[in-house]
Amino acid sequence: MVVVVILFFIICPIVGYFFYKQLRQKAKPATIVGEFVFIGLFIIAAASFCLGWLFNADDYYAAIDPVDGGYTPFASKHLPTLIVFFLLAFFGLFKLWLKGRSLPPLLFSLCVVFVIMGIPISLAVIFQTGHNTEQRDETFLFAALPFFYIVTSITVLFKIVSAEAVAASSKTYRNKFLNYLNQKLTKTETQPLWIFLMLVPVFVIVVAILMLFGQDANSITKVFTETTTWNFSQKTHPPFLDHKGHYLCTVAVCGTPNVVKPLRLGKRHGHEIIVNRQLLIANAFEELIQEKWPKLHQIIRAFYDRYGYPLSKKINTAKGSNFVYRIMKPLEYTFLIVLYLCCIKPEEKIAKQYT
C-alpha cells in the first residue's frame, strides 16, 4: 500500500506536467515549468485548506468535544454564496491565465471582474482564519490558498492591463466617440474607476441570483460573522462536551478478526473494550514515555488527541480499520523495539495494559 501511494505521488505530477505541456504548446519550456510548479503549489495550498477545514467543520450552535475538531470559520447556511464567488473567481483566473486578451470581449470583461471580486473575499478569508480563540494549531492551513490566489490574480491582472494599455495606445478609430473612450481607457489613472463601474452591477446580479436559491442579500458577510471562535465571529458556542477517549488503535480492533487479531477484553475508563497486541504495545509505549520523559509525553499526547481521535471518527468500517491496522504496523514494531530497549520485563508491561 505504501508503495502504491509513493508511486501515485510520483506518477501524477509527471502525467500532469505532460498534460499541461500540451495545453501550453505555444509557451516557452521555462515558462511551462514555472507555471506547472506554481500550479502544484496551488494544489498543495488547496489541499491544506481542505485539511484545515476537515478539523474545523462544526457550526457555532453544535456542542462539540474540542479534541474532535473545532468550529468552522464559514457558516454552513451561507456557504453557497462564498463557494459561488470563489468558483467564479477561479474560473476567471483560469481563463485569463490561459487565454488572456484572446477571449471574447464580454467574457474577458466578466473574467476580470470575477477575479477582482475574489481578491477582497480572499483577504477576508485570511483575516477570518488568522486567529482562533481556542488556539488551535490548524489556522495556518487556511492562509496559503487565498494568499496564492491574491498573488496570482494581481500578477495576471497586471500583465493583462499592461499589455492592453500598450495595445490601446496605438489604436485609433474613425468614430470620434470610440476614439475618445479608447484614449480614456488607456490612461491608467482612470482604469480603477471603469473597473469599479463594472464590478457593482455584476456583484448585484450574482447576489440576486443567489437570493433566488435561498441565500440572503448579505450572505457574503454572514458567512464570516455567523461563526464562533474566529476573527469576525459574532456567535457564541454551547459548552464543550467531555472528551470520550476513543482512539485510533481502538478503532483498528474493530476490523476483520483474522487481520487485527483481537486477544481479549480489557477495561478503559470503566468500559469494556476489545484489545489486540498492537493496542497493548502502543499503550505500553505511551506509559513508558510518560514515566521516563513526561514533557515529551505531553507533546505526543496533545498531538495524538488533536489528530488521532478526529481521524478515528472517520474510520467506521472493517476495511478502514484493517487499513489502519496495517499502516500502524511499522509504528508497532518501533514501539516494541523501544520497550525491549528500555524495560527490564517488556512483555509483563505489555500484558498488564487494560487490566
Side-chain angles (χ1 to χ4, degrees):
M1 181 60 69
V2 176
V3 175
V4 173
V5 173
I6 293 172
L7 287 174
F8 175 80
F9 282 106
I10 292 174
I11 293 171
C12 276
I14 296 173
V15 174
Y17 173 75
F18 284 107
F19 177 74
Y20 186 73
K21 191 176 180 181
Q22 293 299 315
L23 288 176
R24 301 283 285 162
Q25 291 180 356
K26 296 181 180 180
K28 296 178 180 178
T31 303
I32 295 173
V33 172
E35 289 179 350
F36 184 74
V37 170
F38 194 84
I39 290 172
L41 293 174
F42 212 104
I43 292 172
I44 293 172
S48 70
F49 188 93
C50 294
L51 183 63
W53 207 349
L54 177 67
F55 291 111
N56 298 273
D58 291 289
D59 281 302
Y60 70 90
Y61 46 78
I64 65 169
D65 178 349
V67 173
D68 295 0
Y71 286 104
T72 177
F74 315 113
S76 298
K77 180 182 177 182
H78 307 286
L79 194 57
T81 295
L82 185 65
I83 291 174
V84 166
F85 275 107
F86 262 123
L87 288 177
L88 291 174
F90 279 107
F91 168 79
L93 184 60
F94 182 73
K95 280 291 188 181
L96 291 176
W97 187 332
L98 289 182
K99 299 292 184 178
R101 201 61 185 89
S102 61
L103 288 169
L106 181 58
L107 182 58
F108 172 79
S109 301
L110 285 173
C111 286
V112 171
V113 170
F114 291 153
V115 169
I116 293 172
M117 285 194 300
I119 293 175
I121 295 174
S122 296
L123 286 171
V125 171
I126 291 174
F127 284 118
Q128 169 76 337
T129 58
H131 176 69
N132 189 314
T133 56
E134 297 305 320
Q135 301 295 326
R136 295 186 64 83
D137 298 332
E138 299 90 12
T139 54
F140 74 94
L141 295 171
F142 291 103
L145 181 61
F147 175 78
F148 265 96
Y149 174 83
I150 292 170
V151 172
T152 309
S153 299
I154 292 173
T155 303
V156 171
L157 289 173
F158 180 79
K159 182 179 178 181
I160 289 173
V161 170
S162 299
E164 184 61 20
V166 172
S169 62
S170 61
K171 290 180 182 178
T172 55
Y173 297 89
R174 292 181 181 179
N175 187 292
K176 291 183 179 181
F177 180 69
L178 289 177
N179 201 53
Y180 171 78
L181 284 179
N182 181 61
Q183 293 302 317
K184 285 290 183 184
L185 288 170
T186 57
K187 295 179 180 179
T188 55
E189 64 269 15
T190 62
Q191 285 173 356
L193 176 61
W194 294 105
I195 292 171
F196 177 76
L197 291 175
M198 292 183 66
L199 276 172
V200 175
V202 173
F203 181 83
V204 170
I205 290 170
V206 173
V207 170
I209 294 172
L210 286 167
M211 288 176 67
L212 295 176
F213 291 91
Q215 294 292 285
D216 295 342
N218 57 345
S219 282
I220 195 62
T221 57
K222 285 184 175 180
V223 73
F224 299 112
T225 58
E226 291 192 357
T227 57
T228 186
T229 74
W230 299 93
N231 264 337
F232 297 140
S233 299
Q234 295 182 359
K235 300 292 184 179
T236 56
H237 59 79
F240 287 127
L241 299 175
D242 291 333
H243 177 50
K244 299 296 188 298
H246 299 284
Y247 292 95
L248 205 57
C249 286
T250 309
V251 172
V253 181
C254 298
T256 308
N258 62 350
V259 175
V260 301
K261 300 177 178 63
L263 293 177
R264 58 176 172 82
L265 292 176
K267 284 192 175 182
R268 183 175 196 160
H269 305 309
H271 300 283
E272 280 193 342
I273 61 169
I274 299 173
V275 298
N276 63 354
R277 183 165 174 80
Q278 186 178 81
L279 178 56
L280 295 175
I281 290 172
N283 211 62
F285 173 78
E286 181 183 357
E287 186 179 274
L288 174 69
I289 297 296
Q290 188 174 14
E291 292 169 354
K292 293 187 176 293
W293 305 285
K295 289 186 178 180
L296 176 61
H297 173 262
Q298 290 176 2
I299 296 171
I300 295 173
R301 170 52 62 182
F303 179 85
Y304 195 57
D305 280 350
R306 179 153 293 177
Y307 298 103
Y309 178 52
L311 182 59
S312 72
K313 293 185 69 181
K314 311 293 181 183
I315 304 165
N316 48 25
T317 64
K319 287 184 178 179
S321 297
N322 294 344
F323 174 74
V324 170
Y325 177 83
R326 291 187 176 107
I327 64 172
M328 284 192 66
K329 267 297 177 183
L331 276 178
E332 177 188 341
Y333 294 138
T334 303
F335 295 160
L336 189 61
I337 291 169
V338 173
L339 286 168
Y340 269 81
L341 286 172
C342 300
C343 294
I344 298 174
K345 297 179 179 180
E347 287 300 328
E348 285 187 12
K349 191 175 190 66
I350 293 169
K352 75 176 185 178
Q353 303 300 314
Y354 300 112
T355 55

